[in-house]
Amino acid sequence: MSRPKKQPAKDCIFCQIATGKLPASKRFEDRDMVAFDDIHPHAPIHVLVIPKKHITSLADVTPKDKELMGKMLYRCKELARQLNIADSGYRVTVNVGKWGGQVVPHLHFHLLGGAPLTERLSLYTEAAVLLAKE
Ligand code: DGP
């Protein structure tokens, strides 16, 4: 039997952060979402914006989640302003699935900034492609 989507997923670290069971440096919280600092930052500012309800990945978003997705993206914009990276520029990314580099199976938007970011959005090598197909 599948688990209702609004329940926290057992063993999901981001659900545990959302419910306060695991600590995190929170930047924002409301009834729909939480934003907190990434534990392994890739830039001086690296914040993760997650929905409170468990959605495994962007690939699992349904039409009912459209408003939530808009709110989360808007929150990235607002956080960028509050964290003083709006004028210099920043990046919002979503990794989806194995080849997309998603490690934590709970949807999250990465907000990155505070330094010039590399122009390369993706990095792959022929060797990595061959290994992945094995
Ligand atoms: P992704 O590769 O898109 O699934 O990114 C997952 C990010 O989550 C990664 O940058 C590290 C971060 N992360 C993993 N575990 C924790 C945690 O327990 N706390 C916090 N704050 N961040 C975490």
Side-chain angles (χ1 to χ4, degrees):
M1 193 172 71
S2 70
R3 161 182 46 78
K5 275 204 162 175
K6 284 194 174 164
Q7 297 299 319
K10 196 170 171 282
D11 300 330
C12 172
I13 49 173
F14 284 2
C15 281
Q16 290 178 33
I17 287 174
T19 56
K21 280 188 190 153
L22 270 184
S25 297
K26 289 184 183 170
R27 299 286 192 168
F28 176 83
E29 179 166 10
D30 68 7
R31 62 190 293 272
D32 298 313
M33 72 191 87
V34 186
F36 54 91
D37 289 337
D38 193 294
I39 207 166
H40 300 305
H42 288 257
I45 300 288
H46 187 169
V47 174
L48 302 173
V49 179
I50 70 165
K52 281 193 170 172
K53 77 169 184 174
H54 185 82
I55 302 174
T56 303
S57 102
L58 188 64
D60 295 297
V61 162
T62 71
K64 283 183 186 165
D65 300 317
K66 282 183 186 177
E67 189 181 343
L68 174 62
M69 295 303 101
K71 286 180 181 176
M72 287 173 58
L73 201 50
Y74 182 79
R75 187 49 48 191
C76 290
K77 175 250 177 188
E78 280 296 280
L79 282 164
R81 189 181 55 78
Q82 285 160 16
L83 296 168
N84 297 312
I85 58 171
D87 290 345
S88 53
Y90 54 92
R91 184 172 295 159
V92 176
T93 62
V94 186
N95 296 330
V96 184
K98 189 176 167 192
W99 282 18
Q102 184 178 4
V103 174
V104 178
H106 181 127
L107 173 64
H108 48 283
F109 293 0
H110 295 258
L111 169 64
L112 298 141
L117 302 173
T118 168
E119 287 176 17
R120 297 185 72 171
L121 268 180
S122 67
L123 281 174
Y124 72 90
T125 63
E126 295 300 325
V129 172
L130 289 172
L131 277 173
K133 285 181 177 167
E134 272 180 7

